[in-house]
Structure formats: structure tokens, C-alpha cells
Amino acid sequence: MQTEILPALTGDNELNTESIDRAAALLRVGEVVGIPTETVYGLAANAFDEKAVAKIFKAKGRPQDNPLIVHISAFEEIRELVSAVPEAAKKLADAFWPGPLTIILPKSSRIPDAVSAGLPSVAVRMPSHSVARAVIARAGVPLAAPSANLSGSPSPTNAKTVFDDMQGRIPLILDGGGSRVGVESTVITLCTEVPRVLRPGGVTVEQLRAVLGAVEVDDAVLHQLKAGEKAASPGMKYKHYAPRADITIVRGSLAQFRQYVAEQAADAFVLCFAGEERYFPHAVPYGAAESDSEQANRLFDALRELDALGAKTVYARCPSLDGVGLAVYNRLIRAAGFHLIDLTEE
Ligand code: TXA
Ligand code: MG
């Protein structure tokens, strides 16, 4: 299969309707299309078409027990997907949709088992990217879409990276520029007694609490599941976002970090904050120390860059756990296989 990349925006950021129409037509006949969203690029198919959804799993090499997020372009579309819309869902949608928040609710009978991976719930998101919204609306169906990477690789934040992973596997990728947020959406479930964050993302826990009151954070966000423990969000159990390099997160001041790295092998790479490159012979920066949104925006590209540079061993600066930093840390600790050295404890 030939994989085509089409520009989805014109020079002055207007929608390229020809490209959008082409994507929508492919989606209507059960094909899979790579589409931009504000978080990361997605691999989209008609959520009501079990055969189309099966093609997503095949293209990604995704385990069948990992459910997909269903994307909508207007709030009313959620009613077809879930068995009821509770007040909390309306509040969340009012505050954060369209945007980087996914809400899990009990599913309706219209959701194929392939989408929910057999769970009684479904994850729903209304993205804010103009191209994603236009494609959903034009296709006329909700779109199931995981991140557009091969299973286990970092999520793609631009069309070129989607092409690197999906070349020959899907017919079309829409190029809508770089993803603004850079990490996947926040996933919150309303199926628990107290709403619970299963995956941190662009909408912060602090923001969710301001709207809903009590919100729990699932243990799997920060910690590795113990053997035999069941993941509330199946995606959290896989070694994920992983580059080929062996990564260790090192928590401590810049001075502690520099001293630690100086004692390691000379060919080791560091994943540092912007501006710190000059202290290390082999360094890739992932955003300024004081900007969690810049770190989120840069992280996945930086991980892919480390692979491209042939890094074998990487020591990473530890982000703060506040705000969007929690999402950055959540992705980085998985990329590191939960390998963390804490120099502040000494
Ligand atoms: O930002 C995003 O969310 C991107 C863009 C494309 O929208 N999508 C994305 O999808 O990151 P994916 O498939 O890579 O991650 C979806 C996560 C997985 O961890 C999955 O296990 C979880 O959401 N999930 C989906 N449905 C669920 C459900 N019913 N219950 C619990 N977790 C669910
Ligand atoms: Mg993913």
C-alpha cells in the first residue's frame, strides 16, 4: 500500500477542504487515516465499523485488550456512545471540550467490543484541532483513534513521524502541523465512585479538581503495577513510549545531576532541560526547566531524536510533578522502565 501525505491546512491556516474530503471519503468506506490532533496524531477509523477498527489494531500492532478513544466533533454526539450522560460529564465538557480531555463512561450498545476491548465502558474525547473536528464532521461518524505510532513507540506529534511508523500500512496521513500539547490527553473515568485520573495529560489534576471537587489519581500514574495487579486503564500496563535507549531518570539539582553524569560512561547521553546542553558532550534538551508545557511539547520528539543519534544509555533530568509536569513524568518514567535514581535522598 502507498501512503500519501496531504496538507490539511492552507498557508493562512484555513482548512484544505479537498484533503479533508478525501480523508472523510476513505473513513466512510472503512479505511484508516492518520489525522492531526492538538495532543498527538491519531490513527482514525469509523468507530461503528468493527472491520475498520480491526485495521487500526493491525496497523499499530496493538494488543487487542487495549481499548480505543472515540472522537466526536460536537457534544451531542456523545449521547449515541454512552448509556447516560451524568452531570459531571457535562461540567467537564463545558470546562475542557474541545480539548485534551478524555472522559470514560458506561458504553452504549452501539460501541463494538473491538473499540472497548470488551470493557463495559467507552472513552470519549472532543479534540480542539480544527482538522480533526472537520474530518469527524465530514465523515459523519465518530472516529476511534489511538495515537498514530507503532505500539510501544513514542506518540507522533507531526505527520513525518506518523509516516515513519505507518508507511505502507495506511493509505493517507493528513498533515496539520505540529501538535500543540505534545502528550496524549488526560484520561478521567466517571465509572468509579470518585472520578479518577487514569492518565495525566494536557488538562491538569488541579484543573479537574477545580471543576469536580474530589478527583483521585490512579496508582498506576506514578508507580509500576505489581505482578498480577489489574490496570484500570489497560494502556498503562505496557512498557510504552519507549525508545531503544536505556533511560534512567535522575532526580536532583543540576549540580548533583552533572556530578552523577560525570561519573558514568563517556558515551552516555543526557536528556536535559533547555540551556543545559553546554554542560554535557552528548545532550538532547526537552524544554525549559520552568515550563511544563514546553517539556510536554518536546518530550516525544526528544525521545525519537535520542534513537536517531544512536544513544544507548541516557540519563534524564526529572521534571516537576505539578501541573502538566505530572504527564511529562508519567511518560518519562515509562520510557525509563520505572528506573529512577533519587539524589535528593542522600
Ligand atoms: O490524546 C489522545 O488521547 C490521543 C489522540 C489521538 O486523541 N489518543 C490516544 O489514544 O492517546 P491511545 O489509544 O494511545 O491511548 C488511550 C488510552 C489507553 O491507555 C487506553 O488503555 C485507555 O486510554 N482507555 C481507552 N478506553 C478505555 C476504557 N474504556 N477504560 C479504561 N481505559 C481506557
Ligand atoms: Mg498510544
Side-chain angles (χ1 to χ4, degrees):
M1 187 188 294
Q2 287 273 18
T3 302
E4 200 180 353
I5 303 185
L6 289 177
L9 294 168
T10 63
D12 38 7
N13 262 357
E14 297 290 322
L15 291 172
N16 181 326
T17 48
E18 226 170 278
S19 302
I20 308 269
D21 283 352
R22 171 112 177 84
L26 283 166
L27 289 162
R28 278 197 300 269
V29 297
E31 282 303 328
V32 175
V33 176
I35 62 165
T37 89
E38 74 281 15
T39 55
V40 299
Y41 274 64
L43 214 51
N46 178 355
F48 293 146
D49 179 344
E50 198 132 11
K51 279 195 190 136
V53 170
K55 289 183 187 170
I56 295 178
F57 282 87
K58 182 151 185 266
K60 265 187 82 94
R62 183 175 174 107
Q64 298 285 343
D65 67 348
N66 196 1
L68 306 179
I69 296 171
V70 179
H71 297 71
I72 57 177
S73 63
F75 181 75
E76 289 309 309
E77 293 162 23
I78 196 177
R79 300 192 186 279
E80 225 180 336
L81 310 176
V82 303
S83 59
V85 181
E87 202 49 43
K90 286 184 201 144
K91 282 191 192 164
L92 288 175
D94 272 347
F96 305 113
W97 278 1
L101 179 71
T102 295
I103 305 173
I104 297 179
L105 287 166
K107 71 169 191 152
S108 76
S109 57
R110 289 221 60 188
I111 301 294
D113 271 345
V115 170
S116 61
L119 295 173
S121 58
V122 63
V124 186
R125 176 162 106 83
M126 180 157 79
S128 66
H129 198 294
S130 64
V131 172
R133 304 272 299 286
V135 172
I136 302 165
R138 196 86 179 91
V141 287
L143 299 180
S147 50
N149 51 288
L150 287 172
S151 208
S153 296
S155 295
T157 57
N158 56 67
K160 160 80 173 62
T161 311
V162 179
F163 186 80
D164 289 344
D165 275 17
M166 289 299 145
Q167 186 177 10
R169 294 168 179 261
I170 59 175
L172 176 65
I173 299 163
L174 288 186
D175 186 350
S179 294
R180 177 179 56 81
V181 179
V183 293
E184 306 87 344
S185 62
T186 302
V187 177
I188 187 169
T189 179
L190 298 180
C191 299
T192 43
E193 218 166 276
V194 178
R196 176 179 298 184
V197 171
L198 303 183
R199 180 176 74 182
V203 172
T204 67
V205 175
E206 295 86 338
Q207 287 176 303
L208 292 168
R209 287 188 177 136
V211 170
L212 291 183
V215 171
E216 294 172 347
V217 176
D218 198 80
D219 267 355
V221 165
L222 290 177
H223 307 287
Q224 189 163 24
L225 290 169
K226 295 178 190 71
E229 215 174 334
K230 195 161 166 274
S233 179
M236 285 284 125
K237 77 182 171 208
Y238 297 104
K239 182 170 178 187
H240 220 192
Y241 316 111
R244 284 185 287 276
D246 202 2
I247 301 182
T248 303
I249 303 180
V250 182
R251 180 181 278 150
S253 66
L254 174 60
Q256 286 172 316
F257 184 82
R258 284 178 64 184
Q259 191 188 342
Y260 180 86
V261 171
E263 291 158 5
Q264 311 306 317
D267 64 350
F269 275 72
V270 304
L271 182 61
C272 62
F273 295 129
E276 297 174 355
E277 300 92 301
R278 60 199 151 116
Y279 300 120
F280 309 97
H282 313 290
V284 172
Y286 77 104
E290 62 284 358
S291 172
D292 53 8
S293 56
E294 200 179 302
Q295 291 161 22
N297 180 273
R298 276 280 306 148
L299 180 68
F300 288 141
D301 283 351
L303 292 177
R304 286 186 184 255
E305 204 174 315
L306 285 165
D307 269 350
L309 290 167
K312 302 265 181 303
T313 307
V314 176
Y315 298 98
R317 291 275 271 140
C318 187
S320 128
L321 301 193
D322 302 328
V324 181
L326 187 65
V328 176
Y329 180 82
N330 170 271
R331 306 310 190 271
L332 191 53
I333 193 80
R334 280 172 173 72
F338 292 90
H339 196 190
L340 174 85
I341 289 173
D342 195 344
L343 300 177
T344 65
E345 280 174 351
E346 282 165 17

